[in-house]
Amino acid sequence: MTELNFKRHRRLRSSVHMRDLVRETTLSTNDLIYPIFVVEGEGIRREVSSMPGVYHVSLDNLDQEIKELEALGIHAVLLFGIPKDKDEVGTQAYCENGIVQQALGQIKRNFPDMLTIADTCLCEYTSHGHCGVIHNGDVENDQSLQLIVDAAVSQARAGADIIAPSNMMDGFVAAIRKGLDQAGYENTPVMSYAVKYASAFYGPFREAAESAPQFGDRKTYQMDPANRLEALREAASDVDEGADFLIVKPALSYMDIIRDVRERHDVPVVAYNVSGEYSMVKAAALNNWIDEQQVVLEKLTSMKRAGANLIITYHAKDVAKWLQN
């Protein structure tokens, strides 16, 4: 075969150390953001039935959760709050003593080095489960913006290092940036859910966050999964309005969008490895259909390869353990 002229690409795959030497994409605990669902009450650490290994945690158990993350080398958390009382305008989202505000204060007092990211939306707090104020059966964009700003400012005041608005109202980044600046939080970054699709992959999260819409759906404000160019317009608007990070959600079925956003913008891009993506892997692993470790590491590495700088994932604890070993 020596007379043939062809490339020998396998030379660079010949051993473990050779493959490590030429690896183009790496995954570390510094890339990971772990979501936490904080609930009111005491003594609660309740597993979410559709998300094995993910728990509702009350404030008295929150410190143990953060200690575990720090020991694993995970230094960023995304906080979701689940209040006991909900109303039509999501009052607990911007209440100074709301569940997320309490959790933020507790973490910053006891674990000042832990980076706290506050999910800023109304859906977990409204009785109807939508991300804003309802008027004539629809979410009223501009009226909802003020409540979202109120939530962002209260979260920053409570200790949030980063504000992460997820409501997909038009102008939400501009409104929050102005509100934070006027309140004296001009150094608090905004991690925008810039590209958030109306996805079927959110089902387990809606159980965990108790945020399923009580009527209709969210397709009038979340994006059509068929659209690519719309995602680029959304991301560009948020950068123009002052976003410091851009989230693409979901991640696994939207690798092309992650790549598009990465190529067009020079701010950090965050992939949200959402609940449905997590639960499918967990279900298959529990049935011994897949090698969970290999599948998860391949999946998250592919998100990094597509262009994500950071990954929000419920797999974070497991990944950190695997990387340590």
Side-chain angles (χ1 to χ4, degrees), residues 130-190:
H130 280 283
C131 302
V133 178
I134 301 299
H135 182 67
N136 292 332
D138 193 19
V139 177
E140 210 291 319
N141 192 94
D142 294 5
Q143 187 178 351
S144 300
L145 287 181
Q146 184 54 57
L147 300 184
I148 293 162
V149 171
D150 292 344
V153 171
S154 73
Q155 291 167 343
R157 187 177 296 121
D161 295 300
I162 299 173
I163 297 299
S166 60
N167 53 87
M168 289 296 286
M169 296 295 106
D170 291 337
F172 70 130
V173 173
I176 287 173
R177 183 71 272 157
K178 180 179 179 181
L180 290 173
D181 291 351
Q182 289 180 341
Y185 299 104
E186 61 275 1
N187 291 324
T188 300
V190 175

Side-chain angles (χ1 to χ4, degrees), residues 184-255:
Y185 299 104
E186 61 275 1
N187 291 324
T188 300
V190 175
M191 181 183 284
S192 171
Y193 285 69
V195 181
K196 183 177 180 180
Y197 285 91
S199 172
F201 285 100
Y202 301 153
F205 173 89
R206 290 177 180 172
E207 178 198 346
E210 301 176 4
S211 63
Q214 298 303 300
F215 64 89
D217 53 42
R218 294 176 178 151
K219 293 181 180 179
T220 63
Y221 45 103
Q222 295 178 0
M223 289 175 46
D224 186 338
N227 291 355
R228 170 175 172 261
L229 297 180
E230 183 182 6
L232 304 183
R233 295 194 299 270
E234 287 278 3
S237 293
D238 286 6
V239 170
D240 289 344
E241 293 173 16
D244 300 283
F245 302 79
L246 299 173
I247 298 175
V248 176
K249 180 183 181 182
L252 193 59
S253 292
Y254 299 87
M255 297 288 195

Side-chain angles (χ1 to χ4, degrees), residues 19-72:
R19 293 190 294 273
D20 287 345
L21 187 68
V22 299
R23 180 161 290 129
E24 300 173 20
T25 306
T26 58
L27 183 68
S28 82
T29 54
N30 291 328
D31 304 323
L32 306 177
I33 299 169
Y34 186 64
I36 298 178
F37 298 97
V38 187
V39 298
E40 296 189 67
E42 294 182 355
I44 298 172
R45 192 173 188 271
R46 180 176 59 241
E47 191 170 36
V48 179
S49 64
S50 59
M51 300 177 70
V54 174
Y55 295 84
H56 289 145
V57 179
S58 54
L59 292 174
D60 56 329
N61 283 319
L62 182 58
D63 282 7
Q64 186 58 44
E65 190 82 3
I66 303 301
K67 285 179 183 177
E68 181 184 3
L69 293 170
E70 286 199 331
L72 290 170

